[in-house]
Amino acid sequence: MSPFLLYIDPGTGSMLFSILIGAAATLFFLGKAAILKLKIIFSSKKGGEAAIDTGYKDYVIYSDHKRYWNVFKPICDEFEKRQIPLTFYTSSPDDPALSEKYDFVKREFIGEGNKAFAKLNFLNAGVVLATTPGLDVYQWKRSRNVKYYVHIPHSVDDVPATYRMFGTDYYDAFLTSGNHQEKVIRKLENLRNLPAKEIVCVGSTYLDSMKNKKNSLKPLPKNENPVILLAPSWGKNGILSKFGEKFIDALIKTGYQIVIRPHPQSITSEKQMLDNLKSKYPELEWNFDNDNFNILNKADLMISDFSGVIYDFSLIFNKPLIYADTEFDTLPYDADWLDEKIWSLRVLPKIGIKLEEKDFSNMKEIIDKALSSKELELGRKEVKAECWNFEGESAVRTVDFLTGKINK
């Protein structure tokens, strides 16, 4: 046999190699998808007949964690007020929703992980509302028997800074708190050649609820010694991860009352770090309440980084902010697709004072400056007008939108 019959030119060889790699990758991901499907089917069988409910429902809300009850409660209350049947599914066995007294809102704990997805993936409904990102990206798949999926954010923060990549791509509609969110959603759709979602501004249900709660309470007496709340985000660029003891030591030296409220995700993802800090600083107050209202109401000033809680504190309680000089790693987030500074980083200087590492020794002076700043007070009003529209109307507007879908 001639040796030339076995010869493959470099171009053809490269093409064949690419085909083989592509085929192998396809088989790999098909295998993973098959395993995931089997797990979900197994979970549904293990859970009994109740795991898969084929009965049709007009309206379904899914909450993946009890901490989002502040988003959904005003909506459930509005459904109850209108006497419209609603099904509320939760993955938290101690979700406050389960103890509410409703006649028209049916609540059910559907399990966690694959057990919950087994139910959701075979759902038969008209409209499904959720804060959960990753629809049709991770385990939660679009059910062929659901007509419309609607996303409602749990923060007025910038969308690309809130969600990991592709977090809301496959929802049919997005309910925004302000126009700043719509602009970036449209940019991401154009970059990814996605069909345009229906985007409707309804305001913020949880901010409306917090405002009503605040207005119903008597003002707290002024703290003789200012209460400083450290409320960082989680991850390698969060304050506790990046600066740790150095930052806390500088806070203690101010002589002010210090309360540390770690991000809820830190409790699971950064447990070892938190345990070490709590054991080193047992004299400090560590706050882990499910509802952050009381500690936000008590604090005179917040120190954070890029956590969404800064807007709750600034907009509801109208109090000053200091934000640490930490880098926001855009890589895992939708923000990595954009060639511009995200909205949340653009507005931070309007509502807070930047604290750099070289200024840790002057932390007390910076705190005092923020506490008395009239410029920051004006900045809070400006940002509020931009990101929180239809104040006090969000629940009504949300339910109007959902019921309008079914009526069509």
Side-chain angles (χ1 to χ4, degrees):
M1 181 182 293
S2 170
F4 293 105
L5 294 176
L6 300 176
Y7 173 76
I8 299 176
D9 67 87
T12 303
S14 176
M15 180 181 69
L16 289 174
F17 182 74
S18 298
I19 292 172
L20 287 172
I21 292 296
T26 300
L27 289 173
F28 173 76
F29 286 111
L30 284 175
K32 287 191 70 175
I35 291 171
L36 175 60
K37 189 172 183 179
L38 286 172
K39 283 183 177 180
I40 290 174
I41 292 173
F42 177 76
S43 298
S44 65
K45 289 182 178 179
K46 188 176 179 180
E49 293 183 2
I52 297 179
D53 180 8
T54 57
Y56 175 80
K57 304 165 185 65
D58 276 337
Y59 308 100
V60 173
I61 289 177
Y62 170 60
S63 176
D64 60 78
H65 197 278
K66 63 183 180 181
R67 63 177 174 266
Y68 301 126
W69 180 233
N70 60 356
V71 175
F72 293 123
K73 185 181 188 304
I75 301 170
C76 291
D77 290 346
E78 185 65 21
F79 269 97
E80 181 73 11
K81 179 181 176 182
R82 301 188 191 191
Q83 299 185 357
I84 299 175
L86 167 69
T87 299
F88 182 93
Y89 290 144
T90 177
S91 285
S92 291
D94 55 346
D95 196 310
L98 300 174
S99 59
E100 290 282 342
K101 294 182 179 180
Y102 288 128
D103 293 322
F104 293 88
V105 181
K106 176 187 174 184
R107 290 134 293 139
E108 182 181 344
F109 168 61
I110 60 172
E112 303 170 351
N114 286 334
K115 187 174 181 181
F117 296 129
K119 191 177 189 75
L120 295 171
N121 292 356
F122 294 95
L123 200 58
N124 186 2
V127 177
V128 175
L129 177 72
T131 63
T132 309
L135 174 65
D136 230 27
V137 178
Y138 302 114
Q139 291 97 323
W140 186 16
K141 304 299 180 183
R142 288 179 62 106
S143 169
R144 67 180 64 184
N145 294 318
V146 171
K147 295 180 177 63
Y148 213 72
Y149 284 93
V150 182
H151 183 86
I152 185 168
H154 60 266
S155 171
V156 299
D157 201 352
D158 205 7
V159 174
T162 305
Y163 300 111
R164 301 295 174 113
M165 285 188 188
F166 320 114
T168 61
D169 281 3
Y170 303 108
Y171 277 91
D172 300 298
F174 195 112
L175 303 182
T176 66
S177 66
N179 294 330
H180 68 300
Q181 292 176 333
E182 179 175 359
K183 294 175 184 177
V184 291
I185 294 172
R186 294 300 187 211
K187 286 183 179 180
L188 289 170
E189 288 174 343
N190 291 332
L191 286 169
R192 295 172 182 164
N193 294 318
L194 294 170
K197 296 176 191 61
E198 185 173 4
I199 298 178
V200 178
C201 185
V202 297
S204 174
T205 55
Y206 83 92
L207 284 184
D208 284 351
S209 181
M210 289 182 73
K211 177 189 172 184
N212 292 337
K213 185 174 181 178
K214 180 179 179 294
N215 291 343
S216 68
L217 299 175
K218 293 182 179 179
L220 293 175
K222 184 176 177 61
N223 296 312
E224 293 183 8
N225 190 24
V227 175
I228 309 303
L229 173 62
L230 175 58
S233 188
W234 68 283
K236 63 180 182 179
N237 290 316
I239 290 174
L240 293 180
S241 295
K242 188 170 183 178
F243 301 119
E245 297 176 14
K246 183 177 182 180
F247 197 94
I248 296 175
D249 288 341
L251 269 179
I252 292 174
K253 288 179 181 178
T254 65
Y256 293 143
Q257 298 181 64
I258 308 301
V259 181
I260 303 177
R261 179 181 169 83
H263 191 282
Q265 189 62 39
S266 293
I267 300 170
T268 54
S269 300
E270 301 171 320
K271 185 177 184 302
Q272 186 61 53
M273 177 197 69
L274 285 184
D275 288 344
N276 292 339
L277 291 175
K278 284 190 294 181
S279 63
K280 184 172 176 61
Y281 301 99
E283 74 279 10
L284 297 181
E285 181 180 343
W286 292 81
N287 182 277
F288 296 96
D289 295 345
N290 181 60
D291 188 341
N292 62 15
F293 182 90
N294 289 333
I295 189 57
L296 295 184
N297 192 31
K298 175 183 176 182
D300 295 292
L301 177 141
M302 175 187 286
I303 300 179
S304 189
D305 35 49
F306 42 82
S307 175
V309 73
I310 63 178
Y311 303 105
D312 305 356
F313 188 74
S314 299
L315 305 184
I316 294 295
F317 299 96
N318 193 26
K319 296 175 182 177
L321 167 77
I322 289 176
Y323 61 97
D325 181 24
T326 60
E327 296 179 4
F328 178 70
D329 183 8
T330 62
L331 185 58
Y333 296 90
D334 277 332
D336 199 57
W337 285 68
L338 305 175
D339 57 0
E340 61 187 46
K341 184 180 286 188
I342 57 177
W343 176 85
S344 52
L345 296 182
R346 294 199 307 269
V347 302
L348 273 177
K350 297 180 181 179
I351 60 176
I353 296 176
K354 185 176 182 179
L355 177 67
E356 300 184 53
E357 189 171 1
K358 63 181 177 64
D359 297 323
F360 285 3
S361 59
N362 299 320
M363 196 172 290
K364 186 178 187 302
E365 289 79 1
I366 295 173
I367 289 175
D368 291 343
K369 178 182 177 181
L371 286 171
S372 61
S373 174
K374 295 296 182 182
E375 185 179 354
L376 293 182
E377 187 174 350
L378 293 174
R380 292 194 292 271
K381 291 181 180 179
E382 182 182 341
V383 172
K384 179 180 179 181
E386 189 174 350
C387 70
W388 184 11
N389 299 159
F390 304 117
E391 190 174 332
E393 303 175 20
S394 58
V396 172
R397 287 177 174 272
T398 299
V399 176
D400 282 348
F401 174 79
L402 299 177
T403 55
K405 287 295 162 191
I406 295 298
N407 291 337
K408 284 184 179 179

